[in-house]
Amino acid sequence: PIYTVTTNPAGRQFTVDGVTYTAPQTFNWAPGSSYTLAVSSPQDGPTGTRYVYSSWSDGGAQTHTITVPSSSTTYTANFTTQYSLTTSVSPSEAGTVNPAGTGWYNSAQNVELSATANAGYGFSNWSGNLSGSANPTSITMNEPKNVMANFTQNQYTLTVSINPPNSGSVSKNPNKSTYVYGEQVTL
């Protein structure tokens, strides 16, 4: 009989009695003999991709001992594919995004993103692997993703009036048509 140890997705690593193999591998084991099958988790894939152990086809634990049966058998270690989501804010002082930084999410998972502006800023739009200005919004994790929350600085006008009219004057320093939040103006 032929005994196969494989992984889903294929190409992940496993060990038999502590010796590392890349799936799939076939073995000519003697029926009735025992071997310990194991996988490490998570396992790195291409950049921004990793594989997290979920189950063995025979119901065994992540590390378990098998007794070889008399007929050909395949043992499959199943993994969940995860992708990284990296978020950032521009300009960095303008606000926050949730989730922040880099996180791992299961393939096909929808992740809700929200942006919160700091005082003097307003949320503008998303860029990178997400577009539009909906906030909150969601993104489907079907590959590694990078998303930036973009903010714009609020602009304010300062209108000066004199009462009664023509009874004096007021100057603004600096004298500009608009000012940003927190900017000092001398009258």
Side-chain angles (χ1 to χ4, degrees):
I2 299 293
Y3 304 97
T4 304
V5 180
T6 190
T7 60
N8 179 25
R12 302 296 93 222
Q13 293 189 329
F14 66 92
T15 63
V16 175
D17 290 345
V19 177
T20 301
Y21 298 91
T22 299
Q25 291 287 326
T26 57
F27 299 91
N28 292 313
W29 291 329
S33 58
S34 293
Y35 296 93
T36 299
L37 303 180
V39 293
S40 61
S41 179
Q43 293 187 21
D44 291 335
T47 301
T49 306
R50 72 180 187 182
Y51 305 95
V52 178
Y53 168 78
S54 83
S55 67
W56 278 99
S57 59
D58 65 348
Q62 186 173 341
T63 298
H64 69 287
T65 301
I66 59 163
T67 300
V68 177
S70 58
S71 58
S72 294
T73 305
T74 297
Y75 300 91
T76 304
N78 297 296
F79 290 84
T80 299
T81 302
Q82 292 186 330
Y83 298 111
S84 65
L85 171 62
T86 302
T87 60
S88 55
V89 172
S90 178
S92 60
E93 74 279 1
T96 58
V97 63
N98 186 33
T102 299
W104 292 94
Y105 299 92
N106 292 347
S107 177
Q109 183 177 350
N110 285 321
V111 180
E112 184 166 300
L113 296 161
S114 61
T116 305
N118 288 338
Y121 289 87
F123 174 73
S124 176
N125 66 316
W126 302 101
S127 61
N129 292 112
L130 184 61
S131 60
S133 58
N135 183 28
T137 190
S138 65
I139 191 168
T140 302
M141 297 304 297
N142 53 9
E143 63 183 354
K145 306 271 180 150
N146 289 290
V147 174
M148 182 173 289
N150 299 293
F151 295 87
T152 54
Q153 202 165 24
N154 294 340
Q155 301 287 315
Y156 302 93
T157 58
L158 175 60
T159 305
V160 178
S161 60
I162 300 167
N163 190 13
N166 301 318
S167 63
S169 66
V170 177
S171 62
K172 299 186 286 185
N173 184 15
N175 187 10
K176 303 190 310 188
S177 59
T178 61
Y179 299 91
V180 294
Y181 180 86
E183 187 173 359
Q184 296 282 329
V185 182
T186 302
L187 300 176

